[in-house]
Amino acid sequence: EWLPNYRVKEWLISDIISGLSTGLVATLQGLAYALLVAVPVGYGLYSAFFPILTYFFLGTSRHISVGPFPVVSLMVGSVVLSMAPDENFLIEGSNATGINGTGALIDTESRDAERVLIASTLTFLVGILQVIFGVLQIGFIVRYLADPLVGGFTTAAAFQVLVSQLKIVLNVSTKNYNGVLSIIYTLVETFEKIGTTNIADLIAGLLTIFVCMVVKEINDRFKHKIPIPIPIEVIVTIVATGISYAADLEKKYNAGIVKSIPRGFLPPAPPNVSLFSQMIAASFSIAIVAYAIAVSVGKVYATKYDYAIDGNQEFIAFGLSNIFSGAFSCFVATTALSRTAVQESTGGKTQVAGIISAGIVLISIVALGKLLEPLQKVLYSSSAAQPHQIQMLNLCHVEHYLNTHLLPKHDIYLHCIFISVSPSWGGFGNIPGTDIYKKVKDYKNVIEPEGVKILKFSSPIFYANIDGLKSSLKSTVGFDAVKVYNKRLKALRKIQKLIKKGKLKATKNGIISEPGINNEAFETDEEPEDNQDLQVPTKEVEIQVDWNSELPVKVNIPKVPIHSLILDFGAVTFLDIVAVRSIKTIIKEFERIDVRVYFASYQDNLISQLERGAFFDDTVRKDIFFLTVHDAVLYIRNQMTYSDNQDPIFEKVRISSSTFPFLPSSSTHT
């Protein structure tokens, strides 16, 4: 769908730059995340390469970077360690190639081969499950993964990542524990042997973590001033490799280095089907988590750039990617937040950037891997653990989650949960001459107030049905507020281009075209939006734009026939933290297209729940709440009467960087 419309002249350079940057990061992360899976680091490069090849053709997200993700890698690693622990490979004699935490001799070659087989077989099975889920059209299951649930899971996983990599940072030899209390056992043994810590590795690890965190903070704070984020992982890797090689850290300080990265590819191999029964439960959870992470990240950028993500097609895309990559000794692929952010922030427009990043990984596999062999393992370990340290800060919000997210006892009965997942809703109108409001579909003589839509949602609102609220809003008002806003931004960009070229003039009475000017040559609405930066005219001109009239540019902007939206929350007894955040976002989405949102018939406990959820601020105040729907309607009528007596209802737009936050260089987030 997107490749035939690809704009080579406008997008190719950006995609190439983005692909080069993302490919370098993907190479380092592939090596790092292999440590979490407990397989040799070279297999991380395979996992950063093969999945992209199939997703390029089958995926619906233009911006996500496909490959390993630490949480998923850790889940795969737990299966690998449980099915192939060191104890299964203890041997005696001259064939011993290594030692475990107890000093016993182990055959590392056989162990690693078995672990690679288990990881690739698990990946193959995860892919099969994902394809089945996609064919059965059950992508909706992601709605049951609440933000606090995912946040709690990733925070706990972040702690596990840190603990699992701590022994590498300290270069302390311990057993590979797995199962209940494995973290406790690992920590106890690590600190028992902390006296054997390698100082060179410890200093390198701590310094890497500190430098990376500082530079990432700089990238975040000054992202509007820095055209391309500083690729700190790449810089640190190059510098650290040079230092390790020049100073010969392995011989002089007994530092742990990579030593060997295989060059080239292994031939494809079938999975060990006999292992399926032992890993089916784990593969189910891994398939869901990997999909949920990818779709969640993909939706963020799809909303920002105004295109759609097909959830069921994403299941099929990742499923086939994992089946394909599983045949080449890879572990499970999804997307990494940090890589995706790099791919988007460096100008990536489409998955062409992804395929170019795969090319960079390919070069590393066939040619450059040997250059990374002197690098200390602690550098990879720090790279794997560092992104999760910020996630650990979320622990301070646990008390807040407990206060705002836990369901009251009377709301956790099973039948209530099932009813609440698919609640009833509808648009309401007024019975003339009364203050009574009834559902429009059920009553013939009810009249909707002019310019006002009333929606009643008959259920507690929580993470599992918040998508239902959003869908019912779109059906009731007849448009998508986010798409309307993005279309208006697109029209304003075009208007500004035309003003700059002298084909339009902005006056105090509006926008006028020069005689004889034909704007049909400008891009049609069907073409993907070009988000290149535009320069702002130096002279500030105040203009008036009536978005419901015909514009002098060819952009199909959905009409907005309402100015007010009333949400009747009389039947809403509970809001969780996900609902609070989503409703606040809904308010802002509507208000930026000049539709005011009001609440009516709310229950007393609702206000306290909203307060605990940090709902109110300078822009969202309590004066939008009314005791009844009729009170809200009367207030809106008075406001509109007053407004009509003052100025015509036009949106005044000032062409300047202060009121165009999306111009010239800032990005608009929805």
Side-chain angles (χ1 to χ4, degrees):
E1 293 179 357
W2 60 267
L3 197 55
N5 295 322
Y6 189 81
R7 302 183 193 176
V8 176
K9 293 183 179 179
E10 298 179 33
W11 290 351
L12 185 58
I13 298 299
S14 296
D15 278 341
I16 290 175
I17 295 173
S18 175
L20 293 174
S21 303
T22 309
L24 292 172
V25 175
T27 299
L28 298 176
Q29 289 189 346
L31 295 169
Y33 298 156
L35 298 174
L36 301 179
V37 184
V39 297
V41 293
Y43 292 91
L45 294 179
Y46 302 155
S47 302
F49 171 73
F50 283 104
I52 302 177
L53 303 182
T54 45
Y55 188 87
F56 176 82
F57 295 101
L58 300 173
T60 60
S61 173
R62 302 175 193 168
H63 294 89
I64 66 172
S65 175
V66 179
F69 181 65
V71 172
V72 175
S73 299
L74 191 67
M75 296 175 72
V76 175
S78 66
V79 176
V80 170
L81 290 175
S82 65
M83 297 181 65
D86 288 342
E87 289 74 13
N88 290 1
F89 302 92
L90 299 178
I91 59 174
E92 297 180 0
S94 59
N95 291 329
T97 56
I99 58 173
N100 67 358
T102 62
L105 298 174
I106 59 174
D107 186 349
T108 56
E109 184 175 348
S110 299
R111 181 199 63 185
D112 290 344
E114 180 67 16
R115 288 179 175 179
V116 169
L117 178 62
I118 293 171
S120 60
T121 299
L122 178 63
T123 301
F124 198 91
L125 181 56
V126 166
I128 292 175
L129 291 176
Q130 288 178 327
V131 170
I132 293 174
F133 293 153
V135 171
L136 295 179
Q137 303 283 295
I138 56 175
F140 68 89
I141 59 177
V142 171
R143 74 176 61 176
Y144 298 102
L145 298 177
D147 287 350
L149 175 64
V150 175
F153 176 81
T154 54
T155 300
F159 184 71
Q160 286 193 313
V161 170
L162 291 173
V163 172
S164 66
Q165 299 308 298
L166 182 61
K167 63 180 182 182
I168 299 178
V169 173
L170 298 174
N171 198 0
V172 171
S173 178
T174 66
K175 292 181 181 179
N176 287 318
Y177 294 100
N178 191 55
V180 180
L181 299 180
S182 60
I183 291 181
I184 303 299
Y185 296 143
T186 301
L187 285 175
V188 169
E189 187 173 359
T190 298
F191 286 107
E192 284 179 349
K193 298 182 178 180
I194 199 169
T196 63
T197 297
N198 185 284
I199 301 300
D201 283 334
L202 178 61
I203 294 175
L206 295 178
L207 191 60
T208 299
I209 293 174
F210 175 76
V211 171
C212 287
M213 291 188 69
V214 169
V215 175
K216 285 182 182 294
E217 183 68 19
I218 293 174
N219 283 338
D220 185 59
R221 290 195 177 188
F222 300 98
K223 58 185 176 182
H224 299 303
K225 298 181 180 180
I226 303 176
I228 298 177
I230 302 172
I232 186 59
E233 293 91 348
V234 177
I235 295 173
V236 167
T237 300
I238 295 174
V239 173
T241 303
I243 293 175
S244 178
Y245 178 78
D248 198 3
L249 296 180
E250 181 188 16
K251 291 183 178 179
K252 292 183 178 180
Y253 300 98
N254 196 30
I257 67 170
V258 177
K259 291 186 179 180
S260 177
I261 295 179
R263 297 176 63 182
F265 295 97
L266 297 175
N272 187 347
V273 180
S274 63
L275 299 177
F276 279 5
S277 60
Q278 303 177 49
M279 56 179 61
I280 183 65
S283 62
F284 183 87
S285 60
I286 293 173
I288 297 298
V289 171
Y291 167 79
I293 292 169
V295 171
S296 299
V297 176
K299 282 185 176 180
V300 171
Y301 292 102
T303 301
K304 180 177 179 180
Y305 290 97
D306 191 22
Y307 65 91
I309 291 288
D310 186 335
N312 293 308
Q313 178 61 27
E314 287 295 290
F315 250 140
I316 295 173
F318 276 102
L320 292 177
S321 293
N322 283 318
I323 291 174
F324 174 67
S325 58
F328 288 91
S329 303
C330 301
F331 47 88
V332 179
T334 175
T335 186
L337 283 70
S338 56
R339 278 200 319 274
T340 299
V342 170
Q343 182 163 312
E344 186 268 343
S345 63
T346 52
K349 304 291 185 183
T350 66
Q351 280 300 329
V352 170
I355 209 71
I356 292 174
S357 71
I360 300 300
V361 179
L362 174 62
I363 294 173
S364 301
I365 293 173
V366 300
L368 300 182
K370 190 171 184 61
L371 298 178
L372 296 175
E373 290 179 355
L375 187 62
Q376 292 170 268
K377 286 184 179 180
V378 68
L379 270 296
Y380 291 149
S381 180
S382 300
S383 176
Q386 186 269 333
H388 295 273
Q389 294 171 24
I390 296 176
Q391 180 70 31
M392 292 294 295
L393 298 177
N394 288 338
L395 289 173
C396 66
H397 298 294
V398 168
E399 182 180 358
H400 175 70
Y401 277 172
L402 291 176
N403 290 334
T404 59
H405 187 63
L406 292 182
L407 293 172
K409 291 182 179 180
H410 60 274
D411 280 330
I412 62 174
Y413 292 109
L414 197 58
H415 70 279
C416 292
I417 292 177
F418 282 116
I419 292 174
S420 300
V421 169
S422 300
S424 62
W425 59 272
F428 277 57
N430 176 248
I431 298 178
T434 72
D435 59 356
I436 299 174
Y437 292 79
K438 292 293 184 180
K439 189 177 293 188
V440 174
K441 292 183 179 180
D442 296 342
Y443 293 83
K444 295 181 179 179
N445 297 325
V446 297
I447 300 173
E448 291 184 286
E450 184 178 358
V452 180
K453 286 289 185 180
I454 304 169
L455 173 67
K456 184 171 183 177
F457 201 73
S458 303
S459 164
I461 304 176
F462 60 109
Y463 68 91
N465 65 10
I466 191 63
D467 286 339
L469 173 61
K470 295 176 182 178
S471 298
S472 62
L473 269 175
K474 293 177 185 178
S475 299
T476 300
V477 301
F479 57 84
D480 185 330
V482 174
K483 289 186 177 180
V484 170
Y485 179 68
N486 288 335
K487 295 291 185 182
R488 290 185 179 182
L489 293 187
K490 185 175 182 180
L492 290 173
R493 290 188 181 100
K494 289 189 175 184
I495 290 171
Q496 190 184 40
K497 282 183 180 179
L498 297 177
I499 292 175
K500 182 181 178 182
K501 294 179 179 179
K503 296 184 177 182
L504 286 179
K505 286 186 177 179
T507 69
K508 292 184 178 180
N509 295 323
I511 306 169
I512 60 174
S513 301
E514 291 289 348
I517 294 298
N518 184 5
N519 294 329
E520 292 300 316
F522 290 90
E523 60 179 307
T524 62
D525 184 53
E526 286 75 20
E527 294 178 346
E529 180 181 345
D530 180 9
N531 290 293
Q532 65 179 359
D533 295 336
L534 304 174
Q535 294 183 356
V536 181
T538 55
K539 183 179 180 181
E540 293 185 357
V541 182
E542 190 177 83
I543 62 176
Q544 296 177 336
V545 179
D546 182 1
W547 292 112
N548 289 324
S549 66
E550 184 177 353
L551 297 177
V553 290
K554 193 174 182 180
V555 177
N556 181 24
I557 300 179
K559 305 300 181 185
V560 180
I562 65 173
H563 51 71
S564 301
L565 171 66
I566 300 175
L567 300 178
D568 184 347
F569 274 15
V572 178
T573 58
F574 171 75
L575 296 169
D576 73 353
I577 187 65
V578 177
V580 172
R581 292 175 178 174
S582 298
I583 292 171
K584 189 170 183 177
T585 299
I586 289 170
I587 293 174
K588 294 182 178 180
E589 289 174 352
F590 275 94
E591 291 200 346
R592 67 186 180 185
I593 61 171
D594 299 319
V595 177
R596 288 280 292 168
V597 181
Y598 302 91
F599 297 84
S601 303
Y602 57 91
Q603 299 192 23
D604 294 339
N605 66 320
L606 214 61
I607 296 296
S608 60
Q609 292 177 15
L610 292 172
E611 288 175 337
R612 291 198 301 269
F615 180 78
F616 298 104
D617 55 26
D618 293 337
T619 57
V620 181
R621 302 186 300 270
K622 293 182 179 179
D623 58 4
I624 61 175
F625 286 79
F626 294 86
L627 291 177
T628 67
V629 172
H630 196 59
D631 289 335
V633 172
L634 293 178
Y635 173 81
I636 292 170
R637 286 177 180 171
N638 290 334
Q639 289 295 106
M640 297 311 300
T641 301
Y642 175 79
S643 177
D644 289 341
N645 292 333
Q646 298 297 316
D647 293 310
I649 305 175
F650 283 114
E651 178 178 355
K652 295 184 178 181
V653 183
R654 180 176 299 277
I655 303 181
S656 68
S657 58
S658 61
T659 52
F660 278 100
F662 51 90
L663 297 173
S665 59
S666 299
S667 59
T668 302
H669 297 274
T670 59

